Amino acid sequence: MAVTSQAVQAKNDLRIGDKIFTFLKYFLLILFSAIALIPVSVCVLTAFKTTEEYNTTNVLTPPENWLNFDNFVTAFERANMLRGFLNTGIALVFVLLFSILISSMLAYVLNRFRFPGSGLIHNLFMFASLIPGIATQVTVYQIMFSLGLINHLYGYILVLCGTDIISIYIFLQFFENLPRALDESAILDGCTYFGVFFKILLPLLKPAIVTSCLLKGVSVYNEYYMSNLYLQSSDLKTISVALYTFTGPYGNQYNYICAGVIITIIPILILFLFFQKEVYSGMAAGAVKG
């Protein structure tokens, strides 16, 4: 009887433990969902409010008119967001193109070839990834100023292309999973090293390319500090800088800012809906090694 009662007590304790675990699981799920969704909800509510509504109501109070698109029109026109989207799009295309090409080629050399100093170069890249980017901006700005690259979009693109160490390690990881027999077979058939890279290895790096484009693309699209520092002309401002049109020492117009934020989210949301399969596959492949 004592053994039976102990078994029953153990089952009851196990059920209580399962209930506590289930409660904590759903509680944390709801908590973190609220933390993620409440700021977005407040942004959407504020974007449809007039200035008077925003000043007199709570941030969680719904707007009186959900068809009030005047804030969106004002934000788009006054912040010159069309020019911001154009500049950001140009920078994004060239930065992704050059970053993917340079990072993959560099990773190919470091992974497939052994030469004096290859280990040192690999370690220097690792060391550079540990240095905060803000710590090098004084020197970088002096170099950019000396070369006459300030207030030029191609100078801004050059700076962004030169700070992509994470992509190098992403490609290095994927090259570790590609057998060297592919290179050797192609070279025996008369293929050059450039042919091996562009015709054989690069098409196999699609998951790495998707992962790198995702990380680098989000970084470039959201980048504010360097675009505000190196692109000082109003015609060259990016979309992130355009959102700061409605901020100033005499107050911030948050209803216009929130409308602008929603406008900037729409292109990324559309791209994600079209390419979500590639994004998920690239992230899953990038998380697994071997």
Side-chain angles (χ1 to χ4, degrees):
M1 292 296 293
V3 175
T4 305
S5 61
Q6 290 178 357
V8 172
Q9 183 65 30
K11 288 183 180 180
N12 293 333
D13 293 341
L14 183 61
R15 290 174 181 174
I16 294 174
D18 290 339
K19 291 180 180 180
I20 294 175
F21 177 76
T22 303
F23 171 78
L24 290 176
K25 180 175 64 175
Y26 284 103
F27 174 76
L28 292 176
L29 179 63
I30 295 173
L31 176 63
F32 287 112
S33 298
I35 293 174
L37 293 176
I38 287 178
V40 178
S41 303
V42 171
C43 185
V44 173
L45 294 175
T46 304
F48 287 93
K49 291 182 179 180
T50 63
T51 304
E52 182 180 356
E53 273 187 278
Y54 175 76
N55 293 329
T56 57
T57 60
N58 188 277
V59 292
L60 294 177
T61 303
E64 295 181 0
N65 183 13
W66 283 98
L67 299 178
N68 178 29
F69 294 103
D70 293 338
N71 292 341
F72 296 90
V73 176
T74 302
F76 192 83
E77 293 179 349
R78 285 179 54 187
N80 198 8
M81 297 187 71
L82 182 61
R83 172 63 66 178
F85 277 120
L86 179 61
N87 293 333
T88 302
I90 294 173
L92 190 61
V93 170
F94 282 100
V95 168
L96 290 181
L97 178 63
F98 289 117
S99 294
I100 297 302
L101 186 62
I102 295 173
S103 300
S104 58
M105 294 178 71
L106 182 58
Y108 170 65
V109 173
L110 292 177
N111 180 261
R112 289 302 202 254
F113 300 95
R114 292 294 178 267
F115 53 90
S118 61
L120 177 62
I121 295 175
H122 194 283
N123 292 331
L124 287 176
F125 276 116
M126 181 175 293
F127 177 74
S129 64
L130 301 177
I131 301 176
I134 192 67
T136 62
Q137 285 307 310
V138 174
T139 304
V140 173
Y141 187 87
Q142 290 177 344
I143 296 173
M144 294 282 289
F145 182 80
S146 301
L147 296 176
L149 297 177
I150 302 296
N151 211 26
H152 293 288
L153 194 59
Y154 53 82
Y156 174 66
I157 293 173
L158 181 64
V159 171
L160 293 180
C161 290
T163 56
D164 194 21
I165 300 174
I166 300 300
S167 295
I168 297 174
Y169 284 99
I170 292 175
F171 284 109
L172 279 172
Q173 175 183 325
F174 274 82
F175 274 117
E176 291 289 340
N177 299 327
L178 298 179
R180 296 177 183 269
L182 294 173
D183 308 39
E184 298 171 356
S185 300
I187 291 174
L188 289 175
D189 291 337
C191 190
T192 63
Y193 288 117
F194 285 97
V196 171
F197 176 77
F198 285 104
K199 295 180 180 179
I200 299 175
L201 298 180
L202 190 61
L204 298 176
L205 294 175
K206 182 181 177 181
I209 293 174
V210 172
T211 304
S212 182
C213 285
L214 175 65
L215 297 176
K216 189 66 176 180
V218 172
S219 175
V220 173
Y221 192 77
N222 295 331
E223 203 282 318
Y224 170 78
Y225 176 78
M226 286 191 290
S227 59
N228 190 44
L229 181 63
Y230 295 112
L231 302 177
Q232 300 169 0
S233 173
S234 59
D235 293 333
L236 295 175
K237 63 183 179 180
T238 59
I239 192 62
S240 58
V241 178
L243 292 177
Y244 281 79
T245 303
F246 303 102
T247 63
Y250 300 105
N252 301 323
Q253 298 170 293
Y254 286 107
N255 52 336
Y256 297 134
I257 294 174
C258 291
V261 169
I262 294 177
I263 293 175
T264 60
I265 291 175
I266 292 175
I268 297 299
L269 181 62
I270 294 175
L271 289 176
F272 175 77
L273 293 176
F274 275 102
F275 299 104
Q276 57 180 325
K277 183 178 179 181
E278 287 77 8
V279 170
Y280 287 137
S281 63
M283 293 180 65
V288 178
K289 182 178 180 180

